[in-house]
Every structure is written in structure tokens, then in C-alpha cells.
Amino acid sequence: MPGAIYAEGLVKTFGDVRALDGVDLDVPEGTVLGLLGPNGAGKTTAVRCLTTLLRPDSGKAVVAGLDVLGQPNEVRRSIGLSGQFAAVDEYLTGRENLQMVGQLYQMRGRAAKARAAELLDQFHLADAADRPTKTYSGGMRRRLDLAAALVVCPPVMFMDEPTTGLDPRNRQELWGVIKQLVAGGTTLLLTTQYLEEADHLAHDIAVVDHGRVIARGTSDQLKARTGGERVEVVVHERDHMGEAAEVLAGFGKGSTTVEEHTRKLTVPVTGGAKLLAEVIRELDVRGIEIDDIGLRRPTLDDVFLSLTGHVAETKGEDGPADDAGHEQEKEATK
Ligand SMILES: Nc1ncnc2c1ncn2[C@@H]1O[C@H](COP(=O)(O)OP(=O)(O)OP(=O)(O)O)[C@@H](O)[C@H]1O
Ligand SMILES: [Mg+2]
């Protein structure tokens, strides 16, 4: 039985660009899927297709049990969407924007007002509530856009890069809000370039590149795929590197990497902390002095890099040329 969000073979082309090249997704009810991918991977296009804003060239999508192509109006009434580019009316105040959304969803005036006030508090916008939003900072707009998506708590939510441009405190708070929402039964598809965010919020992760899902699994499964744990040792004396490499080779499950200039040796292992203790003992017995030793598990960054060949979170600068019209809020702090 398909989940709350289901897609099969979604294709969307823009001229020569195959933005989606056969995307399959399945998000069980009440869970969070994190869609990860470098700039231009097709994340926003996928969200736009699933939320009826774009018509795919081919493929099938079902959201909240409704056929996205056949019943777009019903789908729209069952979903919430917060976009990569905040969609707020510049000339209305924050409060008016939120009340307007409530009215669009046919809330009564009083209920819409109460909900707006509640969200303005929750998103720390109460002080600015009665100012036109064109005076808001980027982070304030983003928070208002998210609040707007939460006016009614729809069963299925889509969030395209919800925390891009937020400072760490606001990001943490938003994670709290999202967790509450999901605890209440909402199904969420979230795109992000912050691997930490996916690690923190998503039950399942789909890595997208060039319009295709190239890997799928929990954060732990993806990390395990990337090669498990490693022991890293920094020896004190350059002269001891050869012997240290011998020791590591005895414990390792693969070839040892040696970095001459930093005197660092790395070897893949299985056996965790217990094995690390054995390595330390053996080095000690042989009188090899070490400056540092540790067990390192792959991070989602390692996963992302090994799968896509891109380092995550480089926006524009040294990645492939950024696409026209895809100007992005750069994150100021991390
Ligand atoms: N309206 C459009 N017209 C032409 N090309 C488009 C359009 N929308 C998207 N594309 C192209 O489709 C591809 C996927 O874009 P998309 O916005 O889905 O990527 P993304 O994964 O959301 O990237 P980002 O991380 O930068 O937000 C890109 O090559 C982009 O240039
Ligand atoms: Mg995008």
C-alpha cells in the first residue's frame, strides 16, 4: 500500500534539462523523508510536481491518497507547503498574511486571528506582527513563510529547505516545531542541504542527484554503506610511522592510508571501542608514542561526498555553475 506521499517514475524536462529523470518515492504515513542533493539535483522540481505546482511529463504521484494529476484541487486542500523562496505578501503585515491563509482554508475570522497570534508568538514575530513584511529580514520572512504553512495542520507537509538562512538558534527552534508536528501524525517531505538537519529530523533519507534517487535508507544505513568505522592515529615521531602502519595493518579490514605531513594513519576497522583499546595497547607495547588516536564513524557528509562527488553545503562558489534564476539565500552562520 502506497504511503502518504508516493511517486513513481516522475520525469520533468525543461528544454534540454532533465530536472527529474524517473524519481520514485514512498513516504509512510507519519514519517519524515529527507530529500538531500546538491544544487540543481531536482529537489525543488520534485516538490513542485508533488504539490501540483508543476505538471510532470510522465510518471505517477499520489499524495494523501489523492491522485496528484487527476485531483489537484483536492490535493492542495490536504497539504501544506513552505517554499525555498518565501511566498509572503510584501505589503501585508505578518499578522495579515497569516490571517489571510486561515481564511483561504475557510477558517472562521476569530479562529484565524487566534491561530495567527499563536504562530506569531511561536515564531518570535509578535513584536513585528503589525509591520508590513517588506520591512522584515530574510530570516523573519522565512519564519513567517513557515508559520503560514502551519496555519492549518495538514496531514501532509512539504518543506523546501525550511531552515536555509536561519541562524542556529532559530534553526534549532524550528526543528522543535517540526518534531511536534510529526509527533502529531503529520507526514513530511523535507528538502535540505544541511546533512545535520536530515540526520536530526528524517526517518529516511533519499539522496538525489541529476534528477534521480541514487541512494535511500536511514542515516545509519547510508553511513554503513559508505564504509563503516576507521581508526585514525597521529604518531609523535615520523620515524615510527612505518612500524605504526604495520600495527594498524594487523588490525585493519582494508588498506592503511598514510599522510606523511600530518603523521596520520587511517585504517578501516570493525570492532569499535574494544578494538581501539587493543590498538592502543599494541602501540604502547612497541613503544610507539602517539599524539592522537580515535575511532571515526563516517558522517552524512562522507556519505554525500562519496555518493555525489560533491561536498555538501557549498552553495555556488566552487560547485557547478549555479543555475540562472536560482539565486539562493546564503547561510550567514553555521
Ligand atoms: N522553471 C525552470 N526552467 C528551466 N529550468 C529549470 C526550471 N526549474 C528548474 N530547472 C532546472 O532543473 C534542474 C533542477 O532544478 P531544481 O530547482 O529542482 O534543483 P534543486 O535540487 O532544488 O537545487 P537547489 O539546491 O539549488 O535548490 C536545474 O538544472 C534547474 O536549472
Ligand atoms: Mg531547490
Side-chain angles (χ1 to χ4, degrees):
M1 180 164 141
I5 303 170
Y6 178 80
E8 199 184 302
L10 284 185
V11 173
K12 179 72 197 175
T13 52
F14 297 104
D16 298 342
V17 179
R18 253 177 123 71
L20 298 182
D21 190 18
V23 165
D24 302 329
L25 294 170
D26 195 359
V27 191
E29 205 175 305
T31 69
V32 181
L33 175 73
L35 215 55
L36 276 180
N39 290 138
K43 303 180 296 294
T44 298
T45 306
V47 168
R48 287 170 57 84
C49 285
L50 291 167
T51 54
T52 78
L53 299 176
L54 262 185
R55 203 177 165 86
D57 303 343
S58 62
K60 183 181 157 174
V62 179
V63 169
L66 300 159
D67 178 34
V68 175
L69 294 172
Q71 301 163 279
N73 294 327
E74 289 84 347
V75 169
R76 264 175 238 150
R77 276 197 287 275
S78 309
I79 62 174
L81 167 65
S82 103
Q84 185 170 11
F85 308 101
V88 296
D89 187 320
E90 296 265 296
Y91 293 94
L92 297 181
T93 67
R95 191 186 306 281
E96 286 163 348
N97 263 291
L98 295 184
Q99 288 176 3
M100 191 180 70
V101 174
Q103 278 153 14
L104 286 176
Y105 280 96
Q106 269 123 41
M107 281 170 92
R108 288 172 178 281
R110 188 180 300 195
K113 270 189 183 158
R115 183 67 183 141
E118 192 177 33
L119 287 163
L120 288 163
D121 268 341
Q122 196 175 2
F123 284 87
H124 306 289
L125 291 167
D127 290 343
D130 299 306
R131 266 168 34 199
T133 51
K134 62 172 188 257
T135 67
Y136 283 18
S137 72
M140 290 164 80
R141 275 167 207 240
R142 181 150 288 276
R143 277 180 280 151
L144 184 66
D145 181 57
L146 283 160
L150 298 173
V151 168
V152 288
C153 292
V156 180
M157 290 266 323
F158 294 85
M159 297 186 178
D160 194 7
E161 301 206 19
T163 65
T164 299
L166 293 188
D167 64 30
R169 186 184 65 117
N170 278 309
R171 177 171 301 154
Q172 293 271 346
E173 273 179 12
L174 185 83
W175 288 356
V177 173
I178 292 175
K179 283 193 162 168
Q180 265 177 29
L181 198 72
V182 175
T186 300
T187 306
L188 172 65
L189 185 152
L190 149 117
T191 80
T192 183
Q193 304 231 8
Y194 303 119
L195 305 176
E196 194 196 347
E197 182 158 290
D199 224 348
H200 205 81
L201 293 175
H203 298 101
D204 245 322
I205 293 170
V207 182
V208 185
D209 200 17
H210 301 298
R212 303 191 75 105
V213 176
I214 57 168
R216 173 83 201 247
T218 64
S219 167
D220 283 341
Q221 285 166 344
L222 292 175
K223 287 173 189 172
R225 245 184 78 160
T226 305
E229 339 172 286
R230 281 154 267 189
V231 168
E232 273 183 13
V233 186
V234 179
V235 300
H236 187 65
E237 302 265 352
R238 199 169 296 272
D239 290 349
H240 282 155
M241 287 180 71
E243 200 180 347
E246 260 172 50
V247 172
L248 290 188
F251 289 99
K253 294 285 173 217
S255 56
T256 308
T257 318
V258 180
E259 254 180 54
E260 288 285 341
H261 62 293
T262 53
R263 302 186 311 282
K264 182 157 87 180
L265 301 109
T266 310
V267 70
V269 296
T270 52
K274 189 155 172 285
L275 181 112
L276 180 65
E278 285 171 29
V279 175
I280 294 172
R281 230 173 285 133
E282 181 66 20
L283 290 167
D284 191 42
V285 165
R286 297 202 188 201
I288 301 171
E289 203 183 329
I290 54 179
D291 285 345
D292 194 16
I293 188 161
L295 195 62
R296 188 158 120 67
R297 294 197 167 81
T299 61
L300 263 188
D301 289 86
D302 297 324
V303 173
F304 195 79
L305 182 62
S306 81
L307 286 171
T308 67
H310 298 268
V311 179
E313 292 176 39
T314 53
K315 297 219 161 184
E317 274 90 271
D318 49 8
D322 226 356
D323 308 295
H326 280 248
E327 182 197 327
Q328 209 137 18
E329 271 190 78
K330 295 238 161 78
E331 77 172 328
T333 43
K334 168 84 194 177

